[in-house]
Amino acid sequence: MRGILRVGSRKVWFYIVAAVVVGLVTGYVVLSETDSPKFQSKEGILDLTHVQLSANPQKLTGEWAFYWQELLSPEDIRVRSAREGNQDQWINVPSSWSGYRLKGEQLGGTGYATYRLVIQLSEQDRKERLALRLPSIFHAYKLWVNGELLAQVGTVGQDKNSMTPHLATKLLFVQPENDTLELVLQVSNFQHNRGGITKYIELGGSDVLTTKTNLSLATDMFITSSLLVIGLYNLLVFMLRRKDRAPFYFGLFTVLLGIRSLLNGELVLTQWLPHFPWELQFKIEYLILCVSGYIITMYFDCIFPNYVSRWFRFASWIATGAFCILVMVTPALIYTQFLLIIGVMVVLHMLYLMVGLVQVALQRMEGALIFLLVSVVTLITVINDFLYYNGWSLIGNTSPLGLLIFTIAQMILLSSRFTRTASNEERISRELQDANDKLIEMNTGLERTVDERTRALSTAHDDLRTSYDRLLHSEQGRKKLLAYITHDLRMPLSSMLGYVEAIQDRVKPERNEQYLKYIRENTIRINRMIEELSFLSHLETGQVSYRMEPVQIIPFLHDFFEQYELVVRDAGLDFILDIGDVEEQRSNLPVVEMDAKRVEQALFNLVSNAMKFTSSGGLVRIALSVEEVNHARHAIISIQDSGMGIPSDQLEQIFERNYRYDRPGLGNGIEGSGLGLAICREILLAQGGTVRAESDGKMGAAFYVTLPCIGNEGRG
């Protein structure tokens, strides 16, 4: 397109003339394709004995019997003919009775009448299944075929109050019993300026006309859906980028055309919504006609700015507003009389725009020639439609197809504009990128040097940080271990030193054996304490490794119970394992990923703690439950005793190292390092679990170990 527009003015004029010629030729072909029927009725009789209707449908044109201001049934017509003879009047179909001269008087658009046509069939069509394809008839009718009432659209009446207007297309099937078909139509109109049978009625084979009707309906649906999709797409483009108003006017124009196409042709809207108000249907159609010229003018002004004069835009706005108000406040009988004036207004808009298109084409602006070409084609189809609806053209509704061609061409034009804009943005982006690349290239050496130095410093810093953290961790562990050893070993060592001095000084030689026993017990206790302190320090500094593996928790608890049952019972305590309902759920048994030996060590510390604080004859109970915690299954192991309770203010402190439960009246009979519960907590935290204690402070305590279950549950 750019290459075309860069040539001289002569070539531009050549393309302009070519566009006009193509449009005129197209219009001539369209307008000359009248498809004039070969057979026409004479004085209410149509001879089709020489044509096979089942294969060659015919349009029922020519003279029909016409009974003005009379609503006659087939029986009424037969009675009148028998009594008065043949005194019928004739009218050409299709045409409106508006302007028809009857008995020296010219009929108006409103009134009612009866039509009658007798069709003589060929031998091939007798007993064949035929079909009648009825268009929209203005504006209510009843149809009899061979005396049988086949169709009724709206309500036929003799005045405005007694009739109900409605528009619909019909496909009716008939089965002739002899060689003739008698069609009788009652038609009434009191709402429109045109009444009567204004479009072709077709008679033919049922299969042929059904196919033709379906194709016509499919064509209307294709055109309508195409217009609506294109229109909604452009409105969405405008919503995303409001700076350019061209997609808004084009999308609005196309959506309105899509809605109007539902109200023409096969009248798809009335097929979907049979009870849609007739008056609203006509108002929508006429309002779309009124505003279409103004909308396309604004669209043209957005595409080619400064080519629409202010006076024309203002005059268009005034005229469009005036006609819209006329349509909205007056009944159809009034505003339909202005159809020709509305058509002239729309055509003037298009002619004015075509003059502007010639100017922009001379200035070699992109898209002007395409715009001009499709505008000529669209103008011809629009003019044909206005002529058709005023009864001056035999060609049906052509504007939807012409407007679809126009819409597709505008889509190409808008796409070209967007593509050009995107190309410019890409070009600018490339130029900026080139400049940026040069700057990057200039700084590459410096950045590389800085990066290398930074990486070296970062590596050295990381190494120093790691070494420092390790040293700090080790130092903290060493200090803690030293403090704990100093604190926990001073008392037993002092006691042992006193016993040794007593033996050496022979203070009480008879108790030397007892002193040696105390020294041995304290030595064992100090050795165990040192091992526990060392192990706890390793736990806290992360120096203990764990062998994690899936473990079925129920067999694990059974093994633990059997291993330590005798130890607990030898202490004079009852020992109970309560699995509850968990063991009965064979299909969903809990599995925990853990280090079994470490968890066993933690549980034994809890059991040992329970044994120390429970008197002989008491109870130690191990129980298991499975609960949902934060949308995940957890195994909860509880260890309960019947010993002395723990005050609520000490429930959190008991898990700290070197903390011993001190209760008045407890005495010195219970000894411990104070490290068991701290070791238990560290082990369970490393397994992803938790431990907590509950007690009422008076009697008994319960420790709850919570471990998360994994997905491979229910095995075994």
Side-chain angles (χ1 to χ4, degrees):
M1 179 58 67
R2 292 178 181 175
I4 292 175
L5 293 177
R6 288 196 184 99
V7 299
S9 59
R10 291 184 179 180
K11 201 161 188 178
V12 172
W13 273 109
F14 170 77
Y15 282 106
I16 293 175
V17 173
V20 175
V21 170
V22 169
L24 293 176
V25 170
T26 303
Y28 174 77
V29 171
V30 172
L31 293 175
S32 62
E33 188 62 28
T34 58
D35 193 19
S36 300
K38 297 179 180 179
F39 301 93
Q40 295 191 355
S41 58
K42 300 292 183 180
E43 295 185 352
I45 298 177
L46 179 59
D47 186 2
L48 297 179
T49 56
H50 300 292
V51 63
Q52 186 176 356
L53 291 173
S54 57
N56 301 292
Q58 296 295 312
K59 296 177 179 178
L60 308 183
T61 63
E63 296 178 343
W64 288 47
F66 185 64
Y67 306 93
W68 177 243
Q69 299 294 75
E70 293 184 274
L71 297 178
L72 303 176
S73 66
E75 182 63 26
D76 294 335
I77 295 175
R78 282 194 291 271
V79 171
R80 172 180 290 191
S81 297
R83 184 177 66 248
E84 301 177 2
N86 188 5
Q87 299 180 3
D88 296 342
Q89 300 290 329
W90 319 106
I91 189 172
N92 286 321
V93 173
S95 66
S96 171
W97 63 51
S98 178
Y100 178 68
R101 301 193 67 83
L102 181 65
K103 297 180 181 180
E105 295 183 1
Q106 186 171 343
L107 302 182
T110 60
Y112 56 93
T114 302
Y115 293 79
R116 178 176 180 268
L117 177 66
V118 177
I119 306 170
Q120 298 175 349
L121 304 175
S122 63
E123 294 183 1
Q124 296 92 332
D125 292 324
R126 297 170 188 173
K127 307 297 183 180
E128 289 289 336
R129 190 167 183 260
L130 303 179
L132 277 169
R133 189 165 182 259
L134 280 78
S136 55
I137 298 176
F138 287 7
H139 273 99
Y141 69 90
K142 294 173 69 174
L143 170 65
W144 285 267
V145 178
N146 286 344
E148 179 183 357
L149 180 63
L150 282 190
Q152 179 172 348
V153 176
T155 303
V156 179
Q158 297 182 355
D159 53 42
K160 184 176 181 179
N161 295 327
S162 62
M163 75 159 290
T164 303
H166 190 68
L167 290 179
T169 59
K170 292 284 186 179
L171 182 65
L172 307 176
F173 300 99
V174 296
Q175 187 76 42
E177 297 295 335
N178 48 44
D179 58 354
T180 61
L181 282 178
E182 180 192 33
L183 306 184
V184 177
L185 274 87
Q186 294 180 357
V187 182
S188 63
N189 170 59
F190 292 95
Q191 286 79 15
H192 200 274
N193 69 325
R194 295 171 60 231
I197 306 174
T198 60
K199 302 177 183 178
Y200 291 110
I201 298 176
E202 289 188 81
L203 176 64
S206 59
D207 294 339
V208 176
L209 285 186
T210 299
T211 301
K212 186 174 182 180
T213 301
N214 291 336
L215 286 176
S216 178
L217 182 61
T219 301
D220 286 355
M221 289 301 300
F222 170 75
I223 293 175
T224 300
S225 58
S226 300
L227 292 172
L228 291 177
V229 169
I230 293 173
L232 292 175
Y233 168 77
N234 280 275
L235 290 177
L236 179 60
V237 169
F238 170 74
M239 293 296 295
L240 298 176
R241 187 174 182 270
R242 297 175 180 267
K243 185 177 180 180
D244 186 7
R245 289 185 172 270
F248 169 73
Y249 289 114
F250 178 65
L252 181 61
F253 177 72
T254 308
V255 168
L256 292 178
L257 291 183
I259 296 174
R260 183 178 180 273
S261 64
L262 294 173
L263 308 174
N264 293 302
E266 293 296 327
L267 299 174
V268 178
L269 182 64
T270 57
Q271 295 189 30
W272 291 347
L273 304 172
H275 302 292
F276 193 82
W278 177 90
E279 182 73 24
L280 180 59
Q281 175 182 342
F282 260 81
K283 285 187 181 295
I284 293 174
E285 181 180 359
Y286 273 73
L287 285 173
I288 293 175
L289 285 176
C290 292
V291 302
S292 59
Y294 177 76
I295 294 175
I296 201 63
T297 300
M298 299 305 296
Y299 169 67
F300 177 82
D301 189 48
C302 292
I303 296 293
F304 305 109
N306 304 322
Y307 282 92
V308 178
S309 63
R310 296 178 59 184
W311 69 264
F312 183 82
R313 188 162 51 240
F314 179 74
S316 173
W317 183 78
I318 293 296
T320 300
F323 278 112
C324 288
I325 294 173
L326 176 68
V327 171
M328 288 188 290
V329 302
T330 61
L333 187 61
I334 295 177
Y335 64 75
T336 54
Q337 298 179 16
F338 293 88
L339 178 61
L340 181 60
I341 300 176
I342 295 174
V344 170
M345 180 184 69
V346 175
V347 170
L348 287 177
H349 276 87
M350 298 189 69
L351 289 175
Y352 179 84
L353 297 182
M354 291 177 67
V355 173
L357 285 171
V358 172
Q359 296 178 2
V360 296
L362 289 173
Q363 298 183 14
R364 305 175 184 178
M365 295 190 67
E366 183 180 4
L369 293 180
I370 293 180
F371 207 144
L372 179 60
L373 177 62
V374 297
S375 295
V376 171
V377 177
T378 305
L379 177 62
I380 293 173
T381 59
V382 170
I383 292 175
N384 172 74
D385 270 14
F386 282 113
L387 295 177
Y388 172 73
Y389 284 112
N390 282 279
W392 300 334
S393 173
L394 298 177
I395 301 177
N397 193 28
T398 58
S399 61
L401 180 60
L403 291 171
L404 178 61
I405 296 173
F406 177 82
T407 301
I408 294 174
Q410 298 311 309
M411 275 292 294
I412 296 173
L413 177 59
L414 288 178
S415 300
S416 176
R417 284 164 52 90
F418 284 126
T419 302
R420 185 175 68 253
T421 302
S423 299
N424 291 335
E425 292 178 354
E426 291 176 358
R427 177 179 55 80
I428 295 172
S429 178
R430 284 195 300 270
E431 293 175 355
L432 292 174
Q433 185 64 40
D434 292 340
N436 187 55
D437 291 340
K438 292 180 180 179
L439 292 175
I440 292 175
E441 187 176 355
M442 293 173 61
N443 296 323
T444 299
L446 179 60
E447 290 180 356
R448 186 182 298 113
T449 303
V450 172
D451 288 342
E452 291 175 356
R453 298 292 177 83
T454 303
R455 282 196 296 270
L457 291 174
S458 178
T459 302
H461 178 267
D462 291 341
D463 292 341
L464 290 174
R465 170 60 66 181
T466 302
S467 300
Y468 174 76
D469 290 341
R470 289 176 180 174
L471 289 174
L472 181 62
H473 213 55
S474 299
E475 179 65 17
Q476 290 175 348
R478 186 186 65 81
K479 289 181 178 180
K480 286 183 179 180
L481 181 60
L482 182 60
Y484 296 149
I485 291 176
T486 303
H487 177 272
D488 290 343
L489 299 186
R490 179 178 291 121
M491 183 65 69
L493 286 175
S494 299
S495 177
M496 289 172 60
L497 180 61
Y499 292 147
V500 170
E501 290 176 349
I503 293 174
Q504 289 179 343
D505 296 339
R506 300 181 180 274
V507 176
K508 291 183 178 182
E510 68 278 6
R511 302 186 63 179
N512 286 348
E513 186 175 351
Q514 184 178 359
Y515 293 157
L516 290 174
K517 180 180 178 182
Y518 288 157
I519 292 172
R520 181 178 181 275
E521 289 177 353
N522 282 329
T523 302
I524 294 173
R525 179 185 173 197
I526 290 171
N527 184 57
R528 184 172 64 251
M529 186 181 301
I530 292 174
E531 290 179 355
E532 289 181 348
L533 280 171
S534 177
F535 182 66
L536 181 58
S537 297
H538 283 81
L539 285 175
E540 293 178 340
T541 56
Q543 299 180 32
V544 177
S545 61
Y546 295 93
R547 184 182 178 184
M548 307 296 288
E549 58 183 358
V551 176
Q552 294 185 7
I553 202 67
I554 293 178
F556 169 79
L557 289 179
H558 278 294
D559 293 342
F560 178 84
F561 178 79
E562 292 174 359
Q563 183 176 355
Y564 296 103
E565 182 180 9
L566 292 178
V567 176
V568 178
R569 294 191 185 279
D570 287 345
L573 302 174
D574 288 337
F575 196 29
I576 298 174
L577 175 63
D578 183 7
I579 303 299
D581 297 334
V582 179
E583 193 169 12
E584 298 177 1
Q585 301 175 4
R586 295 293 181 182
S587 61
N588 199 18
L589 298 179
V591 177
V592 176
E593 187 173 13
M594 65 183 186
D595 187 329
K597 291 188 178 297
R598 298 299 184 192
V599 174
E600 178 183 329
Q601 179 182 356
L603 294 180
F604 179 69
N605 285 350
L606 295 176
V607 172
S608 298
N609 186 74
M611 292 170 59
K612 286 190 293 184
F613 291 96
T614 304
S615 302
S616 179
L619 171 68
V620 177
R621 177 176 176 269
I622 300 178
L624 173 66
S625 63
V626 178
E627 297 180 3
E628 292 282 339
V629 180
N630 295 328
H631 307 289
R633 297 180 74 235
H634 286 71
I636 301 178
I637 304 170
S638 61
I639 298 176
Q640 303 170 354
D641 62 66
S642 59
M644 62 187 66
I646 304 174
S648 58
D649 58 346
Q650 299 185 35
L651 289 176
E652 292 295 330
Q653 302 176 37
I654 60 176
F655 292 101
E656 298 176 2
R657 67 160 71 203
N658 293 90
Y659 181 82
R660 292 183 179 87
Y661 173 40
D662 185 13
R663 183 171 179 177
L666 184 59
N668 298 322
I670 298 176
E671 297 182 354
S673 64
L675 301 176
L677 294 181
I679 292 174
C680 176
R681 181 180 63 177
E682 294 295 332
I683 291 176
L684 294 175
L685 288 177
Q687 317 292 313
T690 59
V691 60
R692 61 184 176 86
E694 289 184 1
S695 176
D696 59 3
K698 297 179 180 179
M699 179 177 179
F703 291 81
Y704 295 92
V705 175
T706 302
L707 295 169
C709 297
I710 60 176
N712 56 341
E713 301 166 6
R715 298 186 307 174

